Amino acid sequence: MSVQTWTWLLVGITFALYFGIAIWARAGSTKEFYVAGGGVSPWANGMATAADWMSAASFISMAGLISFSGYDGSVYLMGWTGGYVLLALLLAPYLRKFGKFTVPDFIGDRYYSNTARTVAVICALIVSFTYVAGQMRGVGIVFSQFLQVDINLGVIIGMTVVLTFALLGGMKGITYTQVAQYCVLIFAFMVPAFFISMQMTGNIIPQLGMGGSVEGGEFLLDKLDKLHTELGFHEYTSGTKSTWDVFAITLALMTGTAGLPHVIVRFFTVPKVKDARKSAGFALLLIAILYTTAPAIAVFSRTNLIETVSNQPYSEIPEWFKNWEDTGLIAWSDKNGDGKIQYVAGDALSSKKPIYVDARGAHGERMVSNASDAKNELYVDKDIMVLANPEIANLPNWVIALVAAGGLAAALSTAAGLLLVISTSVSHDLVKKQLRPNISDKDELKVARIAIFVAILIAGYFGINPPGFVAAVVALAFGLAAASFFPAIILGIFDKRMNSQGAISGMVVGIVLMLFYMMKFKLNMFGGGTSADWWFGTSPEGFGTIAMVVNVVISMVVSRMTPAPPQNVQDMVESIRIPSGAGEAQDH
């Protein structure tokens, strides 16, 4: 069967499974809609958390980033993995002990202020919409290539699928759908890794294959370093980022992870604090399978890409290249007329997206209007490396289709979790807790579903008009979470003296500072700027660390200059620190 037939078959089967679970797990109350009734087993919650956590950025984009960045890409591995450990040890058990539905609920009650709750809702919406933009773009990329539809149509199809199981089941439906999605995505990620590792190194275990030798006895990483230097790039195993920026990005990703509302809410779905700790441990184990494999896939795909396309005549290039070229995610400009693809350091197209024109070149390639006149150029979108890897390695069609199904599972699982956060922030934290305290359970559920519908429309817009490639967009979401939520949560648990004035001041300054920096250096607003203009040499992806520190300092200073929290709040903080005796998440 063809790749497209296999893809339709596997995607159709997995989607039917997701829809079936959504119908079976239909939510009938706000408690089921928000926290799946609080009765999810630790193992199931661990799988759902892993799927929620391993988004399109992890599945599609992270290995692509490492593939192009080499050593510098390790910040994503360290930051995201370390952040999950931080979340599991420092936050999850205590928030579970508190027993509320949402992060804004915790902040509103801990800081005894609806203003704090509202600020937290705004932060949750900003973080979630920034994050979900990357997921919807991932969905569009998969659909555009493997189902041969336009990227925009792919985003719309993905929106419809997520909307269906999110509307029907809420957290209950999403939880059990994510269990299925974890199984799909991890199988889809590992199978091609086994194939390619065996093919290139003779070792079926990718983690060992990456450090192994290839034909001729040369170590694979040494071979890749040599390929890089021959093309004018820096060695793959060396980095170009400053030590400070590596530290800043890693810390921003770590603390941003610990402040992500769609991951935190997962720990409210288990019956007891002990179960929250267990599910965190299970999730970390399940996440590690993918995260330890991603660097190997990055090395395999980078090596295969260079050997396949560099200095090759376009007329002899494999079909996969032309297929991805049709999607607009690979471009080649033949300026010297030799008909060969040159891939060397310094290509103008390597740092900007191609602008296509309605014409074909002398060799049949798609023409671009923004290539320089000086030399041949090649552009490869980082987000396609995992998806194109099985095609580059000439693996069976069913493996290529399986990766497409896995990419969709990763993007859709996280998108669903984010949409639920957006929905609950509006229906529970704004409407129920502030605007209409006496709203009925049925009406609150209706508001939640309307909020999801509106949120998916906005998410779809960002998916069609994304501000960057998937992992970069997601990294910014982590910076926003680090700058806003993490200090308020961690100080709320471990500092009895932290009051509402301090928390509100810190969150507002932190999120505004991060947004300003992101818009200035990522979206070229407020005068724009280049890397030479970065404050303290800190990239936008790492600036969350500085914004977080500013948040903490302002929170501490303001709280010490204003009255202490009421005694009952201080007693509550003492109680939260003892991770036992927690009841179910409270239904209000």
Side-chain angles (χ1 to χ4, degrees), residues 440-496:
S440 68
D441 197 63
K442 183 179 178 181
D443 286 344
E444 187 181 350
L445 205 53
K446 189 182 298 182
V447 171
R449 287 183 165 131
I450 292 171
I452 280 186
F453 182 76
V454 174
I456 195 72
L457 294 178
I458 299 172
Y461 171 80
F462 284 124
I464 292 169
N465 302 282
F469 58 92
V470 175
V473 176
V474 171
L476 295 174
F478 282 79
L480 290 166
S484 56
F485 276 133
F486 182 73
I489 297 171
I490 203 78
L491 293 173
I493 293 171
F494 295 103
D495 182 9
K496 287 196 300 182

Side-chain angles (χ1 to χ4, degrees), residues 90-370:
L90 281 185
L91 301 185
Y94 304 104
L95 290 173
R96 178 62 193 84
K97 174 69 182 291
F98 192 73
K100 293 298 174 75
F101 285 142
T102 66
V103 173
D105 215 3
F106 166 78
I107 288 176
D109 283 11
R110 163 60 181 86
Y111 294 113
Y112 50 95
S113 166
N114 274 339
T115 302
R117 191 189 307 275
T118 303
V119 171
V121 167
I122 293 170
C123 292
L125 294 177
I126 292 171
V127 170
S128 298
F129 275 123
T130 306
Y131 204 147
V132 83
Q135 310 314 309
M136 300 315 295
R137 171 171 160 78
V139 170
I141 289 171
V142 175
F143 272 119
S144 69
Q145 169 60 11
F146 293 102
L147 300 184
Q148 301 300 305
V149 299
D150 181 73
I151 285 183
N152 295 351
L153 179 58
V155 170
I156 293 169
I157 295 171
M159 288 164 56
T160 305
V161 174
V162 175
L163 186 63
T164 302
F165 59 76
L167 276 180
L168 285 175
M171 179 58 84
K172 186 178 179 184
I174 287 171
T175 294
Y176 293 107
T177 302
Q178 285 173 337
V179 170
Q181 286 166 334
Y182 175 79
C183 297
V184 172
L185 76 86
I186 203 66
F187 188 67
F189 198 81
M190 296 304 298
V191 167
F194 293 144
F195 268 98
I196 298 172
S197 182
M198 190 69 188
Q199 186 184 81
M200 293 181 71
T201 69
N203 193 322
I204 197 170
I205 301 173
Q207 293 87 339
L208 299 178
M210 180 180 70
S213 56
V214 294
E215 190 176 345
E218 185 179 21
F219 283 111
L220 176 58
L221 287 171
D222 289 339
K223 178 182 179 179
L224 184 53
D225 277 344
K226 191 180 297 181
L227 288 171
H228 260 231
T229 53
E230 286 173 357
L231 296 176
F233 297 101
H234 63 83
E235 287 189 340
Y236 184 82
T237 53
S238 67
T240 59
K241 289 184 182 293
S242 69
T243 303
W244 159 249
D245 200 34
V246 168
F247 172 79
I249 295 173
T250 303
L251 187 57
L253 293 173
M254 284 182 65
T255 52
T257 297
L260 282 180
H262 76 286
V263 177
I264 289 173
V265 74
R266 290 237 52 91
F267 297 103
F268 297 142
T269 64
V270 292
K272 296 176 290 189
V273 172
K274 182 171 69 173
D275 295 330
R277 289 184 182 276
K278 283 183 180 177
S279 62
F282 289 144
L284 188 59
L285 177 66
L286 296 168
I287 289 168
I289 297 172
L290 186 145
Y291 269 60
T292 56
T293 307
I297 288 182
V299 170
F300 299 153
S301 62
R302 183 67 174 171
T303 305
N304 276 335
L305 174 72
I306 293 173
E307 291 188 322
T308 302
V309 306
S310 184
N311 209 35
Q312 297 296 315
Y314 183 84
S315 58
E316 299 175 12
I317 206 72
E319 193 63 29
W320 70 265
F321 186 98
K322 296 177 182 178
N323 290 339
W324 281 104
E325 191 180 23
D326 288 340
T327 68
L329 297 172
I330 283 182
W332 169 62
S333 174
D334 185 23
K335 291 297 179 181
N336 61 11
D338 67 352
K340 289 186 176 181
I341 297 174
Q342 276 88 40
Y343 183 33
V344 295
D347 283 352
L349 274 181
S350 65
S351 59
K352 62 186 177 185
K353 292 188 179 299
I355 300 173
Y356 289 99
V357 296
D358 293 329
R360 292 276 176 175
H363 309 283
E365 75 276 12
R366 289 188 69 179
M367 298 288 286
V368 295
S369 63
N370 61 331

